[in-house]
Amino acid sequence: MTSDNPHNFPPTITPNQWVTLYAITSAIIRPFTEAEITAYIQSAATDISKEHVRAFLLDEASYTNPRFRFALEYTLEQKLPKSSLQAICFVLNLLDSVPGCLILTFSLTPFHRQPARVREDLIISWLDQSSRLLFPPIRGFAKAITALTKLIWTRSADPEMYYGAVGYPEKTGAGVKALDGEAGEFYKFDFLDFSTSEKNVLECDVVIVGSGCGGAVAAAKLAGEGLDVVVVDRGEWVSPDQLPLRETEAFAKLYNGGLVSTTADGVIALMAGETFGGGGVVNWAASLQTQGFVREEWAAKHNLPFFLSNDYQECLDKVSKRMGVTAEGIKHNHRNQTILEGCRRLGYSAIVVPQNTGATIPGDEDGTVREHADGYCANGCGCGKKGDGRKMGTTHTWLPDAAKAGARFIQNYSVDKVLFSTEAKTKAIGVTGTLGPQKVPLKIMAKKVIVSAGSLHSPCLLLRSGLANPNIGKNLHLHPSVTIHAFFPERTDPWLGSPLTTACTQFENLDGNHHGGKLETAVMGPLVVAGPLPWISSSNLKRALLNYRHAGLFFAIQRERDPGAVTLNSRGEPVVKYAISEADRAMIQTSLLGLAKVLYVQGAEEIVPAVYGLRPFRRNPTAAEREEEIREEIAEAESSGRYFWGRADNDEDNEEEGDEVGKQFKNPGIMDRRFQRWLKRFAAHGMGGEKTVYASAHQMGSCRMGSDGGVNSVVDSRGRVWGVEGLVVADASVLPSACGVNPMITVMAIAEWISGGVVEDLKALRRGASSVKA
């Protein structure tokens, strides 16, 4: 940590750039005045700590805040891509120059010398789509810097203060044991230890790179057939009695890149599990089988008839049974009930999403069904007391099955590349990599190599290994999603209940080819909630975060039409190049407009799409907000050649199209005039990446399966890499296109099928060896 001397800045950027940067961040997150604090506390809930609320309102993203300062400097030094840092520095230099300030602020005064409120108003104007700007790219910068500041400030804040202020009852593994007594039973894994061994070569029948949903199923299948299996993972095992972790710890230990990874252009946040057990540890228990129209597409378009066979259905059923996928015992929390009831009121189609919570654990009787009322499970689904419901993911099912059958495990192992025979350059014979932070070298020799590192890392491993198939890394699908925050008059207690038990399917076929969105609900830890919340002003952000106990986080997730790609950077790590097409953006917006209607009919007081520069909808606006609406209506009327009288809502003069329809009913519902106006503004606002917060929790297709010999695919119908003997891919990267649902069950079923082929190949190899000896 640097000293408090304001001139003792790290050398990451210049001192002048640091000064300007802190001038920006301290305007984005400012302290409330004493009068504002007093007024807010008087209206706050009586069971919330006023001391924590006061501290939260006084907290700021400034140089004088050591927690924020350390986190900001660490992010710029260690986490931010060089290209992103260069882009930030370009704007910082402009703001530190007289010509730049004149262009960006219409003032000759350097930005950092302006008062905090003036600086904040300037940032607000940069985000306002109606502002007159001499340098329009500043809009993208304003979105990026407000999002970065918000992320660093919330994640670096004192958790006791933050959680106490918003009313979040934190739950960790240690807390569960303290509250509920002894933790439930779980399998305790052993890992191979090479710290005291000079041996740097290990031999086995099959090495599996990755322990997630694909690798775990393959390990159980192969070990169960008597094969010598070694499973390696770059992540670590976190014992279930330590789960769930605190949010910041979970981000660091359970997710790829500490949950700060994005696409190359910074537009889409990428969420992927990176721990022993992979995504099966951190997903939300949603367990949907591959949809019929997707299976038909894969069979017809990609010539993969397997997906319409009973063999595939048996694989789907087998993995579902092992994890106890069931819709029994589900109790919908507030936001899932909002989806169901809102869809009923609007005539939208909706489904109940089964959960993988019904598998038996030690002490259960057959058929035991337990409620998975765990809103914390994205931080790792723990044990709780015996008999509690819990997500039966990879570390509770397939990996223990594999261990009991003799599989061996290595954690903290980064695979550099696949090894090939010197005699046959196209025959895989193992992998090489390094162990732990000391980077101890280790080779693993095997008859078969199964790559199950996920759609971001599997293609990178193939590329680092020298494979030349031009399709490796292409055809990447992300299921891009956009959230809407809703705030309700009643308490929602968003930490309660299983996160995702319903989905609206009304918008999943918007183009006639089954591309479109599902409307779903998200986990709601306070830091997760803060992530996609658009910055409107410092005061607005803090008030929204403090309204956590009345919030609901919803999203539209798109089965997209157009893919992107994964390539390698200079360090051999993945770079995701993905531009959301105009067609997909339009479909996402259609889904979001439908979601807004669902939230409106369910009584949401405020609806906040994750879109910068769009004013949220408030059911009961303040006088100032209503005046702003009227000004916008006047401007709209003048631009269309009409005259606007500035009437109140109950005035009958100068009615516009749609007003008469609304007046026919005592309760017009979504035909409310103000709401309809807001929907039109939202529709006209657009969903460009410079103003929309996109995220992806599902990555698929970067090593696509096909039957064309590698013309447009990477692997065949049994996951075998074209042109290479002994090398197989078994994870979400082999999906021919986006599956449109949480891919866990689909990936597991495909891995069951692929690993069955590996068993057949190795058995044939053994039979051949036996016949030669005879």
Side-chain angles (χ1 to χ4, degrees), residues 615-627:
R615 188 179 66 247
F617 176 80
R618 299 188 204 275
R619 194 178 292 263
N620 298 297
T622 64
E625 289 168 342
R626 185 61 189 127
E627 287 179 7

Side-chain angles (χ1 to χ4, degrees), residues 709-750:
V711 176
N712 290 299
S713 61
V714 177
V715 302
D716 68 10
S717 62
R718 297 308 293 254
R720 295 170 294 205
V721 176
W722 292 112
V724 181
E725 182 183 349
L727 183 59
V728 171
V729 181
D731 59 19
S733 70
V734 305
L735 270 58
S737 66
C739 62
V741 295
N742 182 303
M744 176 176 66
I745 299 297
T746 297
V747 170
M748 287 181 166
I750 292 174

Side-chain angles (χ1 to χ4, degrees), residues 36-356:
E36 290 171 329
I37 293 173
T38 300
Y40 184 88
I41 288 179
Q42 287 176 348
S43 63
T46 57
D47 60 336
I48 294 288
S49 165
K50 290 180 172 56
E51 177 185 350
H52 288 140
V53 171
R54 168 177 284 276
F56 183 87
L57 293 174
L58 285 172
D59 209 38
E60 56 185 320
S62 72
Y63 184 85
T64 58
N65 179 343
R67 297 178 71 105
F68 174 79
R69 186 176 73 238
F70 176 80
L72 175 64
E73 293 172 358
Y74 173 78
T75 300
L76 265 59
E77 290 174 342
Q78 303 292 332
K79 293 292 185 181
L80 211 63
K82 185 178 293 186
S83 60
S84 299
L85 184 59
Q86 290 172 342
I88 290 174
C89 288
F90 175 78
V91 176
L92 297 180
N93 289 337
L94 282 177
L95 291 171
D96 192 42
S97 70
V98 172
C101 277
L102 189 60
I103 292 171
L104 297 178
T105 70
F106 298 97
S107 169
L108 296 177
T109 304
F111 183 85
H112 68 275
R113 296 189 183 280
Q114 296 278 11
R117 288 187 179 275
V118 173
R119 300 197 305 269
E120 182 184 11
D121 286 342
L122 284 168
I123 298 169
I124 292 171
S125 72
W126 294 342
L127 292 167
D128 185 350
Q129 299 299 304
S130 65
S131 295
R132 180 173 58 89
L133 300 176
L134 298 179
F135 185 67
I138 196 66
R139 296 197 200 282
F141 170 82
K143 178 209 166 187
I145 201 66
T146 53
L148 181 66
T149 302
K150 171 168 56 72
L151 180 145
I152 294 173
W153 174 66
T154 53
R155 292 192 184 184
S156 65
D158 176 15
E160 183 179 355
M161 177 270 289
Y162 195 134
Y163 292 161
V166 303
Y168 172 65
E170 186 181 17
K171 173 182 174 182
T172 62
V176 169
K177 285 190 286 186
L179 293 172
D180 299 335
E182 289 298 320
E185 296 185 31
F186 61 91
Y187 190 86
K188 299 175 178 63
F189 294 95
D190 290 320
F191 293 89
L192 297 179
D193 183 5
F194 297 86
S195 60
T196 59
S197 174
E198 296 181 0
K199 183 179 180 180
N200 64 352
V201 178
L202 190 66
E203 295 184 355
C204 59
D205 290 324
V206 182
V207 59
I208 301 175
V209 182
S211 61
C213 293
V217 171
K221 176 80 170 182
L222 296 166
E225 293 288 342
L227 296 168
D228 182 10
V229 176
V230 173
V231 180
V232 304
D233 201 291
R234 63 188 279 167
E236 291 185 7
W237 179 54
V238 181
S239 175
D241 61 350
Q242 300 301 309
L243 300 175
L245 299 175
R246 171 170 281 177
E247 281 185 283
T248 50
E249 189 179 9
F251 298 165
K253 289 187 175 181
L254 304 179
Y255 289 91
N256 178 70
L259 214 56
V260 295
S261 300
T262 69
T263 51
D265 59 5
V267 169
I268 307 176
L270 301 172
M271 298 176 284
E274 187 175 298
T275 182
F276 185 72
V281 175
V282 296
N283 67 18
W284 306 346
S287 302
L288 290 164
Q289 294 196 2
T290 321
Q291 300 168 108
F293 58 81
V294 174
R295 294 173 64 174
E296 291 176 0
E297 177 186 304
W298 292 351
K301 184 176 179 179
H302 299 277
N303 193 24
L304 296 167
F306 161 66
F307 289 106
L308 288 181
S309 70
N310 282 342
D311 289 343
Y312 182 57
Q313 187 59 53
E314 288 172 4
C315 290
L316 289 167
D317 292 341
K318 179 178 180 179
V319 299
S320 296
K321 181 179 180 181
R322 177 64 188 95
M323 293 189 300
V325 173
T326 180
E328 294 184 48
I330 292 177
K331 293 182 181 178
H332 303 298
N333 62 13
H334 182 279
R335 56 191 181 280
N336 281 287
Q337 193 60 49
T338 295
I339 289 282
L340 281 183
E341 180 61 14
C343 286
R344 185 192 69 80
R345 290 184 173 188
L346 293 171
Y348 291 171
S349 56
I351 59 172
V352 172
V353 176
Q355 311 281 291
N356 61 318

